[in-house]
Amino acid sequence: MRRRRRRRKKRWLKWGFFMFLVGASSFVFLIGASFILGPPSLERAENTIYYSSDQEVIGEEYGSEKRYWVDLDEIDDKLEKAIVWTEDQHFYDHLGFDFKRLAGAIVKDIQTMSLKEGASTITQQYARNLFLSHEKTWKRKLYEAFYTIRLEMFYDKDELLEGYLNTIYYGHGAYGIEAASKYYFNKSAKDLSWAEATLLAGIPKGPSIYSPFHDLENAKQRQAFILENLLENDVIDQATYDAAINEKLNFSDDRMIVKNSIAPYFQDIVVEELKSLLDLNMEEIRSGGYKVYTTLETDQQLALQTASESVLNNGEIQVGAVAMDPDTGGITALVGGQNYEASSFNREVQAKRMPGSSFKPFLYYAALENGMTAATTMMSKPTTFALENGQSYQPSNFNNYYANAPITMAQAVALSDNIFAVKTNLYVTPERFARIAKEKFAIESPLEPVASLALGTEVVSVKEMVTGYSIIANGGKKVNSHVIEKVTDSQGNVIYQYEEPKEEAGGFPFFSKKETNQLLKPALTYILTDMMKGMFDQELNGYMSVTGASIADQLTHDYAGKSGTTESDSWMVGFSPELVAGVWIGYDDNRSIEKVSEEHFSKEIWANFMEKAHESIPVTESKPPENIIEVPIDLNTGLLATDECGEAYTMPFIKGTQPSQYCTSHLEEINEENSEELKEITEDDPFLEDWWDWLWFGDNSTVTE
């Protein structure tokens, strides 16, 4: 019997020694493996934040978990003490495991055959948050131990505490103490009181139980427990305890991780540009922790939104509007529709609509390049055009108003005369006009080179139109429209910086052709801009009022622009030297705009926005190039004005291209002399050798008056 007991004891000693060797070997293996593998990565998902040009937060992207990351010195000491003394009193003394607590927890788990008892240290919880799921299995606990050893081996205690505080879950989708502070108290973690800090410290034990928004009584009981623990351990004194336990907590009414963002349509554009620049997918953007500095001007964005909301009185009609800095190409404000929540379809870039007469400035620049001037006159009357393909084309003016007499190009622009525009297009040739619109004005949409292109019958986006006008506004230089100025990673390293396009020379030295950012001739651009100011100048009223007459009295600055109207679209695009803005109004289903008031919405929004935006913009005046002269012109003839003629209007010309003859009251002399003068301009253009008579007078066989 005694011998049997000795054998049993000896067997248990052997098994004990064996288990000790296994345990020791495993421990040595874990230590060795941890050392060889090196420090585990502490990379974590963070919010990507969007900033305006003046560094204001305009929005935020977050993935499935809403997080903020703050340094330890940005977290109030009260909270650090409350967390440590509640979760892991020996945190700064142990090597990752509290063996006394752990042994007690293991015994209870074995007794109950469960894994419910927890004794995790802060380091263990941090390891679980970083690398593991929250399932209660032996396998997960072994992995947790492995990662805990690695964390303690390679990181100091402050780094571990900082990581823990930024990753622990506080309920309601809030991960990390900064997100929790904002959610529960609408303040930063560095500004918490003892009452607020201890209440937050109690939530991680069971967010669904101890969140004050789920059960305020439970939350207060746990807060009291934590405060008593701090008092017993002399972390706080009695006065502090009394003040904290009696403090009335002011919870956030919004209960949001971030405030509602402004410019949601703009942010969609930012996301698409960010995807392209950094070659990222959406989830990488959401959780990448990027700081994206955009071109948005907050004041201008609010001004554009306010202008749209104050003018539109129809919930169905839609708006697409954008403002741009013509010198940089940065988009400063953007509205893509009336209601983003109802429809995220961005009508600024995704919609393609007919621009109508707002497309004409591109045509008139082509005409200036091809020898016409602001004083060039052509007949404004009902005309049927016989086209080269054998078909005919019969455009009409607004409300069928015509001068039934010659008018100058300057007046044709101001009054938006369609007959003049189509004649100009056929003079320039539609092929050349389409090419110039694409190459010089950055129009990317397909353009069919047809006679009606002069009247804006091809579809384009608002962004394309505003980019094209920006090229005019900045004196003819290339514009790269963009919304992102700079991107930094979560550590503040700059990973993208916008750079202005540079002029470069390429090819062999003797045959290289310099690529220049100057797309338009400065003198011609100045003349075009001057003509575009005419839409607001009622001195140019003729057979009808100038197209900007309805808003001219609202404008206190010098603007240039052009409106456009089709059956289903209303446009207004215009600029000062500092800012370009374009507004489109219409219905998504392309139904006709039947109310006259709705046709004016685009002009009203544009005028309201431009005036508000220019309250804070230093206004400069464009200086004419040295080769520009200004000459008074008789509007009835397009010739030099005298006191004997009718209406005189000052127009700019490149020196040497101004009329050399003076006005006369004899219409037959005018037509004959002016026709010869225009022929001199176009005598090298074979297309017009046989066509000029009907361009000027109209062919009786193809004209309906």
Side-chain angles (χ1 to χ4, degrees):
M1 190 76 172
R2 196 177 294 170
R3 188 181 302 164
R4 191 179 298 133
R5 286 200 195 102
R6 283 198 300 268
R7 282 200 300 267
R8 190 179 298 134
K9 184 178 181 181
K10 194 173 182 180
R11 189 182 302 117
W12 278 110
L13 288 173
K14 287 180 179 179
W15 273 107
F17 182 68
F18 174 76
M19 292 303 295
F20 172 78
L21 288 178
V22 170
S25 300
S26 299
F27 181 74
V28 171
F29 174 79
L30 283 174
I31 296 296
S34 298
F35 182 78
I36 292 171
L37 289 173
S41 173
L42 300 184
E43 289 186 3
R44 64 279 178 186
E46 294 184 55
N47 297 346
T48 288
I49 302 175
Y50 304 129
Y51 296 89
S52 65
S53 62
D54 52 0
Q55 311 296 298
E56 289 187 24
V57 175
I58 61 172
E60 189 165 1
E61 294 280 1
Y62 33 72
S64 57
E65 300 174 355
K66 303 171 186 177
R67 302 175 184 265
Y68 294 80
W69 191 279
V70 289
D71 295 335
L72 195 61
D73 57 8
E74 291 294 312
I75 300 173
D76 198 293
D77 288 343
K78 303 185 201 65
L79 184 69
E80 294 178 33
K81 292 173 181 177
I83 287 286
V84 170
W85 282 95
T86 301
E87 295 291 330
D88 188 0
Q89 294 185 16
H90 305 292
F91 171 69
Y92 284 100
D93 302 320
H94 62 60
L95 296 176
F97 305 95
D98 188 332
F99 290 105
K100 184 177 180 180
R101 289 176 62 200
L102 183 60
I106 291 174
V107 170
K108 288 186 178 181
D109 283 343
I110 292 174
Q111 289 174 344
T112 60
M113 296 303 292
S114 70
L115 295 173
K116 293 182 179 179
E117 190 67 27
S120 297
T121 63
I122 284 176
T123 312
Q124 287 175 277
Q125 292 182 58
Y126 185 32
R128 184 165 63 242
N129 293 337
L130 280 177
F131 310 113
L132 304 168
S133 68
H134 288 254
E135 60 180 348
K136 292 182 179 295
T137 65
W138 289 107
K139 180 180 178 181
R140 196 269 295 161
K141 283 185 173 288
L142 288 173
Y143 276 112
E144 182 183 295
F146 174 63
Y147 282 113
T148 299
I149 292 171
R150 292 179 65 193
L151 287 173
E152 288 280 350
M153 184 178 291
F154 293 102
Y155 298 100
D156 64 38
K157 291 292 186 177
D158 282 348
E159 288 177 297
L160 297 177
L161 182 59
E162 178 182 304
Y164 171 81
L165 291 173
N166 279 286
T167 57
I168 198 70
Y169 184 52
Y170 284 86
H172 306 284
Y175 283 78
I177 188 57
E178 184 72 3
S181 297
K182 289 179 181 293
Y183 184 85
Y184 290 102
F185 298 111
N186 196 27
K187 60 171 62 176
S188 173
K190 64 183 178 181
D191 300 321
L192 296 170
S193 67
W194 271 113
E196 293 164 340
T198 51
L199 185 130
L200 289 178
I203 295 175
K205 182 175 178 64
S208 62
I209 301 173
Y210 297 113
S211 163
F213 297 152
H214 285 315
D215 193 322
L216 181 58
E217 186 177 348
N218 277 351
K220 292 288 288 182
Q221 287 177 356
R222 180 145 178 84
Q223 178 203 39
F225 167 79
I226 293 171
L227 284 169
E228 288 171 6
N229 184 47
L230 294 174
L231 180 62
E232 290 173 3
N233 287 280
D234 296 324
V235 179
I236 60 175
D237 56 23
Q238 187 66 46
T240 303
Y241 171 85
D242 293 338
I245 203 73
N246 293 307
E247 180 179 322
K248 182 180 178 181
L249 294 169
N250 295 315
F251 295 109
S252 170
D253 292 327
D254 292 337
R255 301 188 184 182
M256 294 181 65
I257 300 301
V258 293
K259 294 181 180 178
N260 289 328
S261 61
I262 67 171
Y265 290 103
F266 177 86
Q267 289 184 49
D268 285 350
I269 303 293
V270 174
V271 170
E272 292 304 313
E273 191 166 301
L274 192 60
K275 284 181 183 178
S276 175
L277 291 174
L278 303 184
D279 193 23
L280 298 172
N281 59 41
M282 195 61 227
E283 188 53 40
E284 289 171 329
I285 289 174
R286 283 174 175 157
S287 59
Y290 300 104
K291 288 181 172 56
V292 184
Y293 298 88
T294 74
T295 58
L296 189 82
E297 297 280 350
T298 310
D299 291 344
Q300 290 187 28
Q301 178 64 32
L302 294 176
L304 187 57
Q305 290 177 190
T306 301
S308 300
E309 292 166 2
S310 63
V311 170
L312 298 179
N313 57 13
N314 177 343
E316 290 188 80
I317 203 165
Q318 286 296 341
V319 57
V322 64
M324 183 180 291
D325 183 328
D327 292 322
T328 67
I331 292 176
T332 57
L334 187 149
V335 172
Q338 277 213 61
N339 188 325
Y340 183 84
E341 292 183 2
S343 171
S344 62
F345 180 72
N346 195 330
R347 294 151 189 91
E348 185 266 343
V349 290
Q350 291 177 291
K352 297 288 186 76
R353 305 295 288 249
M354 290 190 292
S357 294
S358 63
F359 206 68
K360 288 177 182 176
F362 309 145
L363 167 67
Y364 288 121
Y365 177 81
L368 293 172
E369 265 200 351
N370 283 272
M372 295 176 74
T373 72
T376 297
T377 57
M378 287 194 285
M379 183 69 71
S380 167
K381 68 177 183 178
T383 305
T384 299
F385 295 92
L387 305 178
E388 285 186 310
N389 59 10
Q391 296 181 346
S392 62
Y393 176 51
Q394 188 174 5
S396 62
N397 280 350
F398 178 71
N399 281 342
N400 289 311
Y401 292 154
Y402 302 90
N404 291 307
I407 61 173
T408 63
M409 183 192 290
Q411 200 167 29
V413 174
L415 305 179
S416 200
D417 191 282
N418 288 339
I419 304 302
F420 195 107
V422 174
K423 288 181 178 181
T424 302
N425 187 24
L426 294 176
Y427 160 52
V428 171
T429 75
E431 291 77 14
R432 186 181 299 165
F433 173 31
R435 185 172 66 251
I436 285 175
K438 284 181 167 293
E439 294 178 356
K440 295 186 181 295
F441 294 98
I443 301 299
E444 298 177 350
S445 297
L447 299 176
E448 188 72 21
V450 293
S452 63
L453 182 61
L455 308 185
T457 54
E458 296 296 300
V459 295
V460 295
S461 70
V462 181
K463 180 183 175 183
E464 287 177 288
M465 291 296 293
V466 171
T467 301
Y469 274 58
S470 293
I471 294 170
I472 303 172
N474 69 23
K477 296 182 178 64
K478 183 178 181 180
V479 168
N480 284 348
S481 63
H482 64 285
V483 293
I484 297 177
E485 289 289 346
K486 183 176 71 172
V487 182
T488 66
D489 61 19
S490 59
Q491 305 302 315
N493 301 309
V494 177
I495 56 178
Y496 170 78
Q497 180 76 56
Y498 176 78
E499 293 183 3
E500 294 287 343
K502 297 178 180 178
E503 296 184 357
E504 297 180 352
F508 294 103
F510 297 107
F511 303 98
S512 64
K513 182 179 179 180
K514 186 175 182 180
E515 294 184 7
T516 176
N517 293 330
Q518 190 69 43
L519 299 175
L520 311 181
K521 296 178 180 178
L524 298 183
T525 306
Y526 180 85
I527 294 170
L528 177 63
T529 299
D530 186 78
M531 288 195 295
M532 293 171 69
K533 293 177 181 178
M535 75 169 290
F536 307 114
D537 189 348
Q538 299 194 58
E539 288 185 37
L540 289 172
N541 286 346
Y543 62 86
M544 61 179 294
S545 297
V546 293
T547 55
S550 63
I551 57 172
D553 60 347
Q554 302 176 38
L555 307 179
T556 60
H557 295 83
D558 198 20
Y559 302 115
K562 190 75 188 73
S563 59
T565 304
T566 73
E567 287 188 1
S568 57
D569 306 278
S570 174
W571 292 73
M572 178 63 212
V573 192
F575 58 88
S576 70
E578 292 78 26
L579 185 65
V580 182
V583 181
W584 165 85
I585 294 292
Y587 292 92
D588 286 340
D589 58 6
N590 279 293
R591 81 180 82 160
S592 298
I593 299 176
E594 297 178 351
K595 296 181 180 179
V596 175
S597 60
E598 293 180 352
E599 292 179 353
H600 292 283
F601 282 168
S602 59
K603 291 177 184 175
E604 292 290 337
I605 293 171
W606 182 88
N608 289 352
F609 166 72
M610 290 295 279
E611 284 296 292
K612 184 64 177 178
H614 280 79
E615 289 179 1
S616 57
I617 296 177
V619 179
T620 59
E621 187 172 342
S622 298
K623 294 182 180 180
E626 292 182 359
N627 59 339
I628 289 289
I629 60 170
E630 294 188 345
V631 177
I633 297 295
D634 173 45
L635 289 176
N636 294 321
T637 63
L639 301 176
L640 298 173
T642 68
D643 292 339
E644 298 176 358
C645 294
E647 303 166 273
Y649 189 81
T650 301
M651 299 181 188
F653 298 87
I654 296 176
K655 292 177 182 178
T657 66
Q658 71 273 20
S660 57
Q661 296 178 319
Y662 288 92
C663 59
T664 174
S665 59
H666 300 90
L667 184 58
E668 290 183 3
E669 268 184 52
I670 294 170
N671 287 345
E672 183 177 347
E673 291 173 6
N674 201 35
S675 177
E676 289 300 316
E677 183 181 0
L678 291 175
K679 268 189 176 179
E680 291 176 9
I681 295 174
T682 61
E683 62 184 1
D684 293 331
D685 192 324
F687 176 76
L688 287 177
E689 285 179 357
D690 299 326
W691 290 62
W692 186 256
D693 285 341
W694 68 260
L695 277 173
W696 170 241
F697 297 107
D699 185 345
N700 289 333
S701 63
T702 59
V703 173
T704 303
E705 297 189 20

